[in-house]
Amino acid sequence: MCQQLSLKGKIINEQNDPVPFATVKQMRTHISVTADKNGEFLLPNVLFNDTILISAIGYQTETEIVDLSVSNSITVILKRKISMLPRNILFNIGCYDFAVNICLARF
């Protein structure tokens, strides 16, 4: 049987700032942990070559294969994800406000 270890890690962004409260999920067992406010986490029962998934709001999700033969700690760099809102959301809000004003004027 393979030895299971705990994986220590830190999640940072491209500016080396910690990414607080990111989620780290072990794909084999589906166990998830949350990083602390400093981006640090401890994931138990990790096997050699396990795959982990790291996600955080506003960042691209990363997949890493753990190589416990080198170290039982890892640093993951998350890249920012840029999302744009569709233009019609602003238009719809404007129409809604206009429709409410018309209805109120009738009463």
Side-chain angles (χ1 to χ4, degrees):
M1 184 169 180
C2 294
Q3 182 181 9
Q4 295 182 345
L5 298 172
S6 292
L7 177 68
K8 284 187 349 181
K10 181 160 185 155
I11 305 164
I12 58 174
N13 63 22
E14 295 171 301
Q15 289 75 38
N16 286 332
D17 297 322
V19 178
F21 312 114
T23 300
V24 181
K25 180 179 180 181
Q26 183 182 16
M27 299 306 291
R28 177 178 52 85
T29 62
H30 301 287
I31 292 174
S32 295
V33 296
T34 302
D36 64 15
K37 66 181 179 180
N38 300 314
E40 297 176 355
F41 67 90
L42 183 65
L43 186 63
N45 303 322
V46 177
L47 296 176
F48 177 76
N49 281 345
D50 267 351
T51 301
I52 59 171
L53 189 76
I54 305 97
S55 61
I57 295 174
Y59 293 91
Q60 296 176 18
T61 300
E62 285 289 320
T63 303
E64 297 280 334
I65 297 175
V66 177
D67 186 357
L68 292 175
S69 67
V70 176
S71 175
N72 70 330
S73 66
I74 188 172
T75 299
V76 178
I77 301 172
L78 293 183
K79 296 177 184 173
R80 289 224 179 251
K81 178 171 56 173
I82 299 173
S83 301
M84 295 185 68
L85 293 174
R87 291 182 79 181
N88 64 346
I89 288 178
L90 297 175
F91 178 74
N92 289 341
I93 291 172
C95 290
Y96 178 74
D97 289 341
F98 183 72
V100 169
N101 290 337
I102 290 172
C103 290
L104 292 176
R106 290 183 184 171
F107 292 105

